[in-house]
Amino acid sequence: MDRTGPPLTGDERETLRSFLDFHRATLAMKCEGLTDEQLRLRASPPSTLTLLGLVRHMAEVERQWFRRVLAAEDVPLVWSDTHDFQEAYDASSSTRAEAFAAWEAETAFSRRFESEAESLDVTGYNARWEADVSLRLVMLHMIHEYARHNGHADFLREAIDGATGT
């Protein structure tokens, strides 16, 4: 995945899109060159958090916000029948191929939805909040979600092989 920094003078939509893609690429970069076993390593027991679990979780988050909320698709979560986002973190029997296939499918859908949306003012209904939310809010929320979890990914990767960097 190409990891390019956001434009310094882009418009609102281009800037949001670029920051979101930058953070998506950062998560992929933190997983590069690692085996399935390394991707499943827990850095801070008793926490069960792993890099592969983060990839699975972000697939669920992308699916929730872009497919289920904005596109109003009646689709289940990938790894939970009970709408529990925490289940995605359990990557104990998962593989890179499985997790990344799901995540890449969801990010492709998200990118397509955003690029085809008339404006950032397009809305979808968030049942949990019992309110409509805009594409603008969703993109900002996704940037926040990735940035937070990429901080976790930094620690996880460093504990695995000492690799650091942004």
Side-chain angles (χ1 to χ4, degrees):
M1 178 179 278
D2 184 31
R3 187 168 174 256
T4 306
L8 300 178
T9 58
D11 66 21
E12 179 186 20
R13 192 165 187 170
E14 180 183 10
T15 301
L16 289 172
R17 179 185 305 130
S18 297
F19 264 103
L20 184 50
D21 278 339
F22 177 83
H23 282 293
R24 288 172 175 146
T26 299
L27 180 58
M29 181 188 81
K30 292 296 175 181
C31 297
E32 282 179 0
L34 298 177
T35 66
D36 285 4
E37 183 179 325
Q38 289 172 311
L39 289 168
R40 289 189 296 262
L41 285 175
R42 298 185 299 167
S44 301
S47 172
T48 60
L49 192 61
T50 66
L51 285 168
L52 207 54
L54 286 176
V55 172
R56 288 167 46 111
H57 174 71
M58 291 312 300
E60 294 286 37
V61 173
E62 294 264 3
R63 185 178 187 91
Q64 171 66 18
W65 284 105
F66 286 94
R67 281 192 199 268
R68 295 168 52 98
V69 172
L70 290 172
E73 289 187 5
D74 185 19
V75 294
L77 292 179
V78 180
W79 288 284
S80 175
D81 295 331
T82 62
H83 200 70
D84 181 358
F85 286 88
Q86 301 305 309
E87 288 183 35
Y89 286 123
D90 180 9
S92 58
S93 62
S94 188
T95 64
R96 169 193 288 276
E98 172 211 30
F100 272 82
W103 180 59
E104 289 165 357
E106 296 308 324
T107 59
F109 180 91
S110 300
R111 284 187 185 97
R112 192 169 46 255
F113 182 92
E114 183 274 323
S115 71
E116 293 173 1
E118 184 177 314
S119 76
L120 293 173
D121 295 322
V122 166
T123 62
Y125 183 74
N126 181 328
R128 184 175 174 197
W129 295 351
E130 298 180 353
D132 286 337
V133 296
S134 68
L135 174 57
R136 177 183 293 102
L137 178 128
V138 169
M139 291 183 74
L140 284 167
H141 178 78
M142 293 300 298
I143 291 166
H144 161 80
E145 186 86 6
Y146 273 102
R148 188 167 76 97
H149 289 310
N150 282 339
H152 300 135
D154 286 337
F155 288 116
L156 289 163
R157 180 62 189 251
E158 186 176 5
I160 291 167
D161 66 0
T164 59
T166 55

